[in-house]
Amino acid sequence: MTSKKTLASLAVLVQSGEVDPVTLTEETLARIEGHDDQAVFLEVTRERAEREAKAASERIRTGRSLGLLDGLPVAWKDLFDMAGSVTTAGSVVLKDQPKAAADAAVVAALSGAGMVSVGRTGMNEFAFSGLGVNPHHGTPRNPASRDVHRIPGGSSSGSAAAVAAGLVPLAIGTDTGGSVRIPAAMTGVVGYKATRGRYAMRGVFPLAGSLDSLGPLCLTVQDAVWADAAMHSLTAPVVRRAEPAELSLVIPETIVFDEAEAEVVTAFEAAIKRVETAGVRVRRQPFPSFAAIFDLMRRHGALVNAEAYALHRERLASPDAARMDPRVVTRVRLGEKISASDYIALVEARERLIHETAERLYAGELIAHPTLPHVAPPLAPLLGDDELFFKTNARTLRNTLIGNFLDFCGISIPCGTGAAGMPVGFLLSAPHHQDDRLLSAALALEAPIRGEA
């Protein structure tokens, strides 16, 4: 069977009986274990996968399928508890922790839909970077690169690389400042960040609770819709495909195009022209709230730093700090300087800016802009220059962290290529709890965004 099959295409084969889940699982495990980049997966959960595949096979053979996802493979970022496996959060300091006694809530939800969990994917240590670099386990290669070893983006680096390389049709990541949408854009796959709280967070190792969200990385918007439904325990999707003539987009003129690579802007604007040709209304306007976020961070620090420091404070005061990625330690320690009054100022301003942003949107309008201002950069220069690393990390996170701070949901869809033929992402976003409307629009716009219509 060829790789890079979507969930939808695999479902047809499995539900029809043409492909047995046991065979599909064995082929998937063989691809993973034989892949030339062993940084993509931190652990292959073969015993679990074989057990789940056998159960799915029996259900389907006897006419008791659990639905469209029954028997299909899924991989998990190493932040999700999987019963009988250690959740290390990409860090060597947690490798001797007890094995998880139970699945995380979303792992249990996809297991309940019949999905086969094949392993844990690589990530930035403690999910604290947008680049995907991990000095302990290695940095996955970006499968889209045809020249040098380019980063896949982070922190859900292995999840995106696993899908882009055709190892699995679906991997689940987390997104605190862009960690689903960034690697999706860099590797040329679809990445959907749900509204914070759309899925149960039980059993997910945190970074910053006020910002953490989850989402699937996959090959199509349709696959994201199917995964989303199962992740919050629906037996089937309820999202309808919108009509392009019903849709309106606004393109921000603030921040998101600053210092953007010319090829990225060209690819995005070409996608906008195709979307307009399909009948979508498009306008442009400034968003002062976007600039205000960065002003707040300069004055008071970042929410993510404050909350990450609170989480890791004792770890940084222990011998474990010397075993951690020094760049992660540096970023976490920034939170030590954030006072309680700074934190309260950030929280209060955040609520105000969420409302101000919503008031600048017309009824039913979605926000559209490039997911990133640049394509995936080469790895080697980042490893050799800390100043370049931190500058690139900040630039990489810039466009997407706006959505986390303002509590958006968002989906990155490939829209073309930029420098070195690397993928460019088109980010559609909506205010919080408008996920179904966002996914409805994404289903309608995926083809013109990709240039397939």
Side-chain angles (χ1 to χ4, degrees):
M1 188 184 306
T2 60
S3 61
K4 281 207 176 184
K5 284 192 177 292
T6 64
L7 287 175
S9 61
L10 285 171
V12 171
L13 297 173
V14 170
Q15 294 298 317
S16 68
E18 185 174 340
V19 173
D20 187 275
V22 172
T23 302
L24 176 59
T25 297
E26 288 299 332
E27 291 180 348
T28 301
L29 294 172
R31 277 200 303 274
I32 294 168
E33 292 170 344
H35 190 52
D36 61 1
D37 185 0
Q38 290 298 300
V40 175
F41 275 81
L42 298 184
E43 180 186 5
V44 175
T45 53
R46 173 174 283 277
E47 183 178 339
R48 174 177 180 146
E50 290 175 342
R51 181 177 70 250
E52 291 179 333
K54 184 177 179 181
S57 177
E58 178 67 14
R59 285 192 299 269
I60 292 168
R61 187 181 62 80
T62 56
R64 297 180 293 108
S65 172
L66 294 175
L68 297 170
L69 299 178
D70 203 0
L72 304 188
V74 59
W76 298 91
K77 185 177 184 177
D78 186 31
L79 290 178
F80 294 88
D81 283 352
M82 299 172 68
S85 176
V86 178
T87 305
T88 72
S91 178
V92 294
V93 304
L94 297 184
K95 66 182 179 63
D96 296 323
Q97 295 291 305
K99 294 179 179 179
D103 286 342
V106 287
V107 176
L110 289 194
S111 180
M115 296 205 78
V116 176
S117 292
V118 297
R120 296 179 171 280
T121 54
M123 55 176 287
N124 284 106
E125 185 174 32
F126 294 119
F128 209 8
S129 171
L131 303 184
V133 175
N134 188 306
H136 310 301
H137 306 297
T139 301
R141 292 194 301 276
N142 189 321
S145 177
R146 295 294 176 265
D147 51 8
V148 295
H149 183 167
R150 293 176 180 267
I151 63 171
S155 61
S156 306
S157 52
S159 295
V163 173
L167 303 179
V168 289
L170 174 68
I172 309 300
T174 64
D175 191 310
T176 304
S179 291
V180 164
R181 294 159 294 157
I182 289 168
M186 284 195 182
T187 61
V189 302
V190 170
Y192 160 54
K193 169 215 166 320
T195 294
R196 182 173 55 92
R198 183 169 174 88
Y199 316 124
M201 297 294 290
R202 187 179 70 255
V204 183
F205 194 96
L207 174 59
S210 71
L211 301 168
D212 291 346
S213 57
L214 311 179
L217 293 116
C218 46
L219 294 172
T220 66
V221 174
Q222 180 70 68
D223 286 0
V225 170
W226 285 14
D228 166 69
M231 286 172 71
H232 59 279
S233 300
L234 295 179
T235 55
V238 296
V239 174
R240 72 171 184 88
R241 186 184 303 270
E243 291 295 330
E246 300 172 347
L247 299 174
S248 299
L249 304 181
V250 58
I251 301 172
E253 296 176 322
T254 310
I255 299 290
V256 295
F257 289 96
D258 292 355
E259 299 180 5
E261 292 175 353
E263 298 95 334
V264 168
V265 177
T266 297
F268 174 79
E269 294 294 352
I272 286 292
K273 287 188 173 66
R274 296 191 295 268
V275 164
E276 288 182 303
T277 299
V280 178
R281 297 178 297 280
V282 178
R283 68 183 185 91
R284 300 167 193 259
Q285 74 166 36
F287 277 83
S289 57
F290 287 16
I293 293 169
F294 297 92
D295 290 338
L296 279 168
M297 291 169 60
R298 281 188 285 270
R299 293 202 309 273
H300 301 292
L303 275 176
V304 65
N305 290 340
E307 296 185 17
Y309 179 72
L311 176 68
H312 293 289
R313 181 177 62 246
E314 292 183 6
R315 184 168 287 116
L316 292 185
S318 77
D320 282 346
R323 302 165 62 202
M324 291 170 58
D325 180 350
R327 292 171 174 135
V328 170
V329 172
T330 297
R331 289 194 70 204
V332 174
R333 287 197 188 280
L334 293 174
E336 188 174 11
K337 304 172 185 176
I338 300 173
S339 67
S341 59
D342 284 324
Y343 184 78
I344 291 169
L346 287 166
V347 171
E348 291 178 345
R350 183 187 189 192
E351 289 303 311
R352 173 175 55 81
L353 292 175
I354 288 172
H355 291 298
E356 285 182 9
T357 304
E359 288 172 357
R360 293 187 69 83
L361 297 173
Y362 295 166
E365 201 166 47
L366 299 172
I367 297 170
H369 59 77
T371 310
L372 302 171
H374 58 85
V375 299
L379 172 64
L382 299 172
L383 296 180
D385 186 337
D386 277 0
E387 182 178 351
L388 177 64
F389 180 96
F390 288 118
K391 180 179 179 181
T392 304
N393 188 57
R395 187 177 176 217
T396 298
L397 288 161
R398 186 194 69 196
N399 286 9
T400 54
L401 72 78
I402 291 169
N404 296 85
F405 192 89
L406 297 175
D407 211 11
F408 290 166
C409 49
I411 186 166
S412 181
I413 301 170
C415 69
T417 56
M422 294 301 294
V424 173
F426 183 111
L427 183 59
L428 278 177
S429 301
H432 58 280
H433 304 305
Q434 296 188 23
D435 298 69
D436 286 357
R437 190 168 67 81
L438 172 70
L439 292 171
S440 172
L443 282 171
L445 299 184
E446 181 175 19
I449 286 172
R450 288 180 180 269
E452 297 173 349

